[in-house]
Structure formats: C-alpha cells, structure tokens
Amino acid sequence: QVQLVESGGGLVQGGGSLRLSCAASGRTVSGYAMGWFRQAPGKEREFVAAITRSGSRKYYADSVKGRFTISRDNAKITAYLQMNSLKPEDTAVYYCAAASYVQNLMNQDIDYWGKGTLVTVSS
C-alpha cells in the first residue's frame, strides 16, 4: 500500500508561482510512475503532468507546457510540481497519483491517489 500526501497549495496572484509536493509513504514509490491531475469546479479531472519511474521522461498537458515542471526525488520518495506563470484557469484541486507505468497513469489507470491540495489563482 502507498499513501500519497500533497502539500503546497494556496492562493496566489496571476503570474505567480507555487510548488506542490507529493510525499509518499508505505511501499516504495520508486517502482511507480508518478503524476499530477487537477479538477476545477464543475469540470472533470484532467491530466496535468507525469514522470517515469527513473525520472528520465516527462509528459505535460498542452495547457501547462512551458509553465509547469514535474520532478521527483526517489531518495526522498517525493514528487514535485513547479508551477510558474499561473493563470486563473489553473485554479483547481491538484491530485498526486502513482501507477505502475506512465502510460497507465496518463490514461488515469491509477494505483494510488492523494487527497488533493487546492490551488487558487486570482486575476
């Protein structure tokens, strides 16, 4: 079993930055691809970013490319999402996720979910 706990959300002005963290406990997550999803009010949950087990490959939704960066530290069993140039449309609950393979994760075939952290971007 793996537990994922997100942190780092909050209120930020448009154009600002936040860094989300996803701390894992339980079984080692170094054997899992990890990623971030988000769900805005009244909308479906959507893929944001993913990173392979080794961290060698990263994938992003078109809406965040060039602004968000995903990374992981397997020694600290933590994943990160650096979010720059934030826009009001980035407002959502952000969820950390882990899956056996990055392709599974991007298809929302998830083994473990965190409970989410709220990001609010003001205009």
Side-chain angles (χ1 to χ4, degrees):
Q1 193 75 0
V2 172
Q3 292 81 43
L4 303 175
V5 179
E6 303 94 336
S7 62
L11 173 64
V12 64
Q13 269 196 323
S17 298
L18 281 175
R19 187 174 85 151
L20 305 183
S21 298
C22 173
S25 61
R27 291 176 62 186
T28 178
V29 293
S30 60
Y32 291 87
M34 297 189 73
W36 292 90
F37 290 79
R38 66 186 182 186
Q39 188 167 20
K43 295 189 176 181
E44 293 189 354
R45 185 155 49 191
E46 64 176 1
F47 167 75
V48 174
I51 188 167
T52 55
R53 300 176 194 181
S54 66
S56 61
R57 290 188 224 172
K58 304 175 184 181
Y59 303 86
Y60 298 95
D62 288 343
S63 58
V64 306
K65 272 181 190 172
R67 300 188 298 123
F68 290 11
T69 303
I70 189 170
S71 61
R72 67 188 295 163
D73 183 336
N74 285 340
K76 294 183 180 178
I77 52 175
T78 301
Y80 304 96
L81 186 69
Q82 178 67 43
M83 306 186 295
N84 298 329
S85 303
L86 282 161
K87 305 174 182 179
E89 51 263 45
D90 294 318
T91 295
V93 177
Y94 283 72
Y95 297 90
C96 179
S100 297
Y101 300 98
V102 71
Q103 203 58 44
N104 290 8
L105 190 144
M106 293 170 68
N107 291 330
Q108 294 204 41
D109 182 8
I110 303 298
D111 292 308
Y112 302 103
W113 287 102
K115 293 188 177 180
T117 185
L118 176 63
V119 172
T120 304
V121 185
S122 63
S123 54

